[in-house]
Amino acid sequence: MSEQQKQKQHEQGPDQGSEQGTARRGGAVWALVITSIAGFMAALDNLVVTTALPSIREDLGGALDDLEWTVSAYTLTFAVLLMFGAALGDRFGRRKLFLTGLTIFTGASAAAALAPGIDGLVAARAVQGVGAAIMMPLTLTLLTAAVPAAKRGLAYGIWGGVNGLAVASGPLIGGALTEHFSWQWIFWLNVPLGVLVLPLARLRLAESYGSGARLDIRGTVLASGGLFGIVYSLIRGNVDGWSSPTVLTGLVAGTALLGAFIWHGIVSEAPLLPMRLFRSRAFAAINLSSLLMYVGMFGSIFLLSQFLQGVLGYSPTEAGLRMLPWTAMPLLVAPVAGILSDRIGGRPVVAVGLALQAIGLGWFALIMSPDVSYGAQLPALVVSGVGMALYFAPAANLVMSSVRPSEQGIASGANNALREVGGALGVAVLAAVFSAQGGYGSATAFVDGLQPALWVGAGVVGLAAVGAVCLPRVSGSGSSGAEGVGDADAGVAREDVLVG
């Protein structure tokens, strides 16, 4: 592609500049398949390692801190580099960077499976996070570029359902592979998928670009450093103590760097994340809701999976199977949620979904006891699963439709980064509540800590539902893409805003 063609596509945005190329390369169906598989791979590795940690320690050795880093090394690099990955794709080509990120992720997965020691595994996990941070936000922008505006709700629904299933089923897949094969297979699983998707993406995805602005190195350093400090402290807080010098330094320095990043986003001419985007009530509200949703959901799943194994005595595979009424719901319900968001708008669907998720967590807290039956848990599992499924697809639609086409990569990276930070915050906060009220000494002690933690999770997700209610109201079928743009930057012409 010549420089003139690139510049033309920069100005047109992905919908116009890549429409012909997308049709030539295979269209929306291929884009949906490719981005859903890649998104599944990246989302799965958030939690897939947790049930394999005992086997990893037995095989590779290492102290408790080393085992924790097999989880946190991925989370940290994923969270702090998401926005930079999106910006690289906007600048140098989304398909090109998607292929780069997928190659890094696939190679690092093989390196993790072949790691001779715990240090090599931790290093491979960190590189995995780098690859995921590059490819994950680009899955949504590439999908948006390939799918016609009127059909994006359904496409986002399938994409969101697959990603939601990956997040929620991580412990099940990790436990099953570890129990029936070996822990290395949680990483080997990514290799054939990556090898399959790479040539398909090269042949079937059209190239698209975002803004032609120069890379914001200063903003990238400030955002990455700030998120690293805060996420690191949240992960280490319960281990090192919340008043330890390392944790306090990370929190203070991280907060200061993020404050500088916000100021930079206000005064800079071409910042990594323009703060003017948050003048849109839709963009601000859906990102706040996403952050709070992941705080409550991640923290609750983290504790409930331990309850099923440590208190009720299920194996990792058995515990994962009993979570299926929750974890399988995104795959079943999210496409329907996407269609509903096209017809009635995303706001009511997201708000109802978050409210159901909060009710489900509260239900768990009410019935929790050391000998609670599975039948008593089943309604809470179903309600939580339906709520999570109703959230995923419309939330993606709302994020992408609240900004200009040329800024969708920025928006996707910011939303994904906030969700990752929310997940780390949720595990840290709910685990802190658990530790303050109970512990691992007995089944009764575990439940004593679990109940208040679940109430906190339910309350946080309830706040997310309130945030979703603050989204602008829309009317008309298929107008979900117009949500929230009404109070965006007053100087932006209405035709510059994506409708979809």
Side-chain angles (χ1 to χ4, degrees), residues 197-358:
V197 171
L198 277 168
L200 288 177
R202 178 66 181 85
L203 294 172
R204 297 295 182 177
L205 292 179
E207 187 61 280
S208 65
Y209 295 81
S211 172
R214 296 164 57 185
L215 287 175
D216 180 15
I217 302 299
R218 179 180 299 177
T220 300
V221 172
L222 290 173
S224 299
L227 287 174
F228 178 88
I230 290 177
V231 173
Y232 175 87
S233 298
L234 292 174
I235 291 173
R236 300 298 304 173
N238 286 318
V239 178
D240 297 339
W242 292 101
S243 60
S244 69
T246 302
V247 171
L248 288 177
T249 299
L251 288 173
V252 172
T255 301
L257 288 172
L258 284 185
F261 172 71
I262 292 172
W263 177 250
H264 174 75
I266 295 173
V267 302
S268 176
E269 292 184 1
L272 180 68
L273 178 59
M275 290 299 122
R276 62 177 174 76
L277 294 179
F278 290 93
R279 295 208 297 265
S280 162
R281 187 154 53 98
F283 187 80
I286 192 59
N287 278 284
L288 175 62
S289 295
S290 296
L291 175 71
L292 295 175
M293 161 68 172
Y294 271 68
V295 169
M297 182 189 70
F298 257 75
S300 298
I301 289 177
F302 174 77
L303 291 172
L304 285 170
S305 63
Q306 295 183 67
F307 169 77
L308 291 173
Q309 296 176 59
V311 176
L312 298 185
Y314 297 122
S315 71
T317 303
E318 291 171 339
L321 288 172
R322 282 162 177 78
M323 292 284 284
L324 281 179
W326 186 346
T327 60
M329 281 298 166
L331 190 62
L332 300 175
V333 179
V336 178
I339 295 173
L340 284 175
S341 71
D342 280 340
R343 293 183 177 179
I344 65 175
R347 183 183 77 156
V349 182
V350 167
V352 170
L354 292 171
L356 288 176
Q357 179 74 87

Side-chain angles (χ1 to χ4, degrees), residues 52 55-56 59-60 109-110 112-115 177-178 181-190:
S55 296
I56 292 174
D59 193 11
L60 299 182
S109 297
L114 295 170
L177 290 174
T178 301
F181 297 96
S182 69
W183 65 264
Q184 286 90 347
W185 278 96
I186 65 179
F187 302 114
W188 282 127
L189 176 66
N190 293 323

